[in-house]
Amino acid sequence: MKHSKVKDLLNSTKTNYEVTVKGWVRTFRNNQFIALNDGSTIHNLQCVVDFENTPEETLKRINTGTAVALTGNLVESQGAGQKYEIQVTQLEILGDCDAEKFPMQPKKHSLEFLRENAHLRVRTNAFGAIMRVRSVLAHAVHTYFQERGFVYVNTPIITGADAEGAGEMFQVTSMPLDSLPKTEDGQINYKEDFFGKHTNLTVSGQLEAETYAMALGQVYTFGPTFRAENSNTSRHLAEFWMIEPEVAFNDLTDNMDLAEDFIKFVIQYAVERCADDLKFLEGRLLDEEKQKPQAERSEMTLLEKLNFVLNNDFKRVSYTEAIAILRESTPNKKKKFQYLIEEWGADLQSEHERYLVEKHFKCPVILFDYPAKIKAFYMRLNDNTEPGKETVRAMDILFPGIGEIVGGSQREERYDVLIEKMKAIGIDEEELWWYLDTRRFGSAVHSGFGLGFERLVLFVTGMTNIRDVIPFPRTPQNAEF
Amino acid sequence: MKHSKVKDLLNSTKTNYEVTVKGWVRTFRNNQFIALNDGSTIHNLQCVVDFENTPEETLKRINTGTAVALTGNLVESQGAGQKYEIQVTQLEILGDCDAEKFPMQPKKHSLEFLRENAHLRVRTNAFGAIMRVRSVLAHAVHTYFQERGFVYVNTPIITGADAEGAGEMFQVTSMPLDSLPKTEDGQINYKEDFFGKHTNLTVSGQLEAETYAMALGQVYTFGPTFRAENSNTSRHLAEFWMIEPEVAFNDLTDNMDLAEDFIKFVIQYAVERCADDLKFLEGRLLDEEKQKPQAERSEMTLLEKLNFVLNNDFKRVSYTEAIAILRESTPNKKKKFQYLIEEWGADLQSEHERYLVEKHFKCPVILFDYPAKIKAFYMRLNDNTEPGKETVRAMDILFPGIGEIVGGSQREERYDVLIEKMKAIGIDEEELWWYLDTRRFGSAVHSGFGLGFERLVLFVTGMTNIRDVIPFPRTPQNAEF
């Protein structure tokens, strides 16, 4: 008999028919009530075992974690807390689970302990919910772009270009490290490496995506990117997934419009499709916040926060305005910021971003028109700025509790200006010949942004550590599993 | 004025209204007719320039590749070959394109030349079509699984586990190769590396996906995988995208059913949504085949081939049956095979697979129940086999012209049997402790498969070299862009 999913049975429109379910025991009460979960939903299905007619040795094998196949009648439940239950007529133990040894006991585990058991933590309610929400958000990303005619582009993971300047890179090699081939003058001979050159893991697919946008018009990437930075924080991963749309003929305003519309769409998509999981995560967050002093608790519940983002315009603020606000702010005047804001041109730190978003504006903020010298070479230089106060058409989107979730810009489409900037900071134009070709042949205004997918998942699930929203996090000193 | 997409204008239901389009000139005929493409469709939009009232110096700048913004009336075309055209009233050159230097001339280029210009080849009709089809196929993959309740899982790209045995791996390191840290006894000190251990790029997410299937029931991966194999063939890439579903409680037959249904769904999805691009690619293939001797040409056109797959059951054949067929085959008897099939247990080579699919069955074939000794350790050992003739519940799907497109199996769910097999081939059980946990705690029958995404794109687009269906191919000695 084909088995049914718990989710479908809980949404059944009829009762009193025979069904089979397969899944894992979450709890077993009174030698009679199995709470069965099969991963299709956060909810368990109550299955009532006829314990009087079940051998004692079978009953003993029903533990938290045991895999079972159960057949019986689906009926309306007499007990509180569930609509339906199964009156089990056939019970098969598929796989035992030693209650003494199984790490996932039916109790609260610390997130740290669960990280050490990343292969098992997804068997808990919280991580099942997080990973289902993550999956739905990923589909929302594809759906948004595909429905609007964007082409999904898989930019390379292994790259020979290391001029992107977005941070420290991991090296990729197939050479034996204990007997590296050398050139005559004793240097490492990269010609002997797999690709015949020095290669790294990508930090961004943007430059390659730009070449595609200049042919297909609207493209997006969604793939893994890497940073070999020794940042042991709750917001950084060495391996994370990034979404990078790139659109020909879009200027910075179009780019901000796209980013805001996109973010609202994917959050809305998850809110509509993950109601049960988000409700559970909202409760989890409330419980967690109860541990905190009143002043540190959120003013809004998780769903209130999500709806707040959906229902409000993101506040668009120029860097220059932001500096003025920060300079006059109480923490700056009282010297509470670690980095005091003294003059125009200062790079904004996380403490400043949080102040703007969480204290001053109290909503998502789009900062734009940053000083050229603190931003990347490929960003479009604004026309008509004062000497020494050059700005670029960059924008960052800052979210409460998350900080930067999007970084983007209109790109410098003028060959001459781009070449000048590359020379000024010492980027080899030979190496980026193909990138420069986009400005040589039919160049045009274009814009794009990068959104860190895990930061989006963090925001939507209300989790606080980025290691808890990716299945197997990669961080300094940790590549287990 | 907001600009329109060429695709939308060509599907317009009204005429005689003012529109703006932005895109790139494909050709410019008679100083008058611009064929404009913006990547939204394979079709160009004819834009008629009022050459008598356009300055000569502007007309001279309209070359193949020039980026332009055109405004004018959308009208029914008088000329042959297009339904609509724009009578241009405003013409703006956005970016020039030097006709002498632009590599993408309006003529036929060799695929080899286009590979060397992978950043520009997407501006050709063929590569625009291929990349749109690739994108739609990727969305088909997500849509299939998401609609059926599968959870998308991002398994790690950088992995500390190198026991998977699926082939040569790339090493990932952040240590400086010219001054590697050493231990006291002169060995490379991996404790000093970023992750505190030796790490590689993943060859498969299967083992991690299994841990998720044993909690969420149905999961799938879709991400990049890597092989550091020096295979310079038209079917191999060092970096390619793989789809790996994994389903709890599925046996091998369920697994074959899933794979066949999935493949048919994604092909159908592309056939429905990419009609214009596939029609173009069908024509391209016909042209290419005209160069070949009659005997080597396909009997079917591209769309006929796709429809053939959609409308026919895949032939399911056991390895043992396949060996009997091959042993009795003409090329085997006439010693035309490079590797003659003499006895049961022989590994099948590409020539044998092609014979079965292209000559004998003339349809997609699912081979199953392979000898244990030629397959991976994690595959389910069949019960009741003769000693020396042990088989595993493996299956490979073979496609005409492509060869193996899917490899999968029911997994060995029995802890004791799995451990024995790992010991026999020397896999360290300490290293895979987390994988073994799935068999320690609530184990159950489960199955999955891997589908090489580029091989699917090859089949659907009718291309013959895998380097032509991924934007920036990575192969031995090639990591340009």
Side-chain angles (χ1 to χ4, degrees), chain A residues 51-84:
Chain A
F51 66 100
E52 287 176 346
N53 292 306
T54 305
E56 186 60 28
E57 59 269 34
T58 304
L59 292 172
K60 275 192 185 151
R61 292 169 67 192
I62 307 175
N63 297 315
T64 296
T66 301
V68 292
L70 305 173
T71 299
N73 241 6
L74 185 75
V75 297
E76 289 192 25
S77 178
Q78 303 304 309
Q82 64 273 325
K83 194 172 162 199
Y84 299 129

Side-chain angles (χ1 to χ4, degrees), chain B residues 155-166:
Chain B
T155 50
I157 310 300
I158 299 173
T159 170
D162 50 11
E164 293 161 28

Side-chain angles (χ1 to χ4, degrees), chain A residues 177-178 180, chain B residues 173-194 196:
Chain A
L177 296 199
D178 52 6
L180 288 166
Chain B
T173 179
S174 69
M175 298 187 293
L177 296 200
D178 52 6
S179 57
L180 288 166
K182 297 281 169 74
T183 59
E184 276 179 18
D185 59 349
Q187 303 293 306
I188 292 161
N189 188 0
Y190 282 106
K191 289 216 169 69
E192 299 275 312
D193 206 349
F194 189 91

Side-chain angles (χ1 to χ4, degrees), chain B residues 319-320 323 327 341-348 370-375 388-391:
Chain B
Y319 168 88
T320 302
I323 284 290
R327 200 154 36 187
I341 296 291
E342 278 158 10
E343 54 191 34
W344 192 96
D347 204 353
L348 298 186
Y370 281 83
K373 65 185 168 197
I374 61 170
K375 286 288 183 182
K389 287 211 161 185
E390 290 83 4
T391 56

Side-chain angles (χ1 to χ4, degrees), chain A residues 159-162 171-172 190-191 193 195-200, chain B residues 177 479:
Chain A
T159 171
D162 50 11
Q171 184 169 353
V172 175
Y190 283 105
K191 289 214 169 69
D193 207 349
F195 296 108
K197 66 195 285 194
H198 182 269
T199 52
N200 293 314
Chain B
L177 296 200

Side-chain angles (χ1 to χ4, degrees), chain A residues 194-263:
Chain A
F194 189 90
F195 296 108
K197 66 195 285 194
H198 182 269
T199 52
N200 293 314
L201 289 179
T202 184
V203 294
S204 160
Q206 178 202 318
L207 303 192
E208 290 91 352
E210 281 186 57
T211 71
Y212 264 55
M214 298 313 281
L216 300 177
Q218 306 178 110
V219 303
Y220 72 107
T221 74
F222 186 2
T225 47
F226 305 86
R227 296 281 188 288
E229 272 158 31
N230 214 336
S231 310
N232 244 320
T233 82
S234 60
R235 301 197 308 151
H236 291 88
L237 291 166
E239 173 182 314
F240 58 101
W241 286 66
M242 188 142 70
I243 297 142
E244 296 183 281
E246 190 73 34
V247 184
F249 315 119
N250 264 11
D251 64 16
L252 188 68
T253 305
D254 299 325
N255 202 30
M256 291 193 268
D257 292 345
L258 177 69
E260 183 169 343
D261 189 54
F262 167 68
I263 290 174

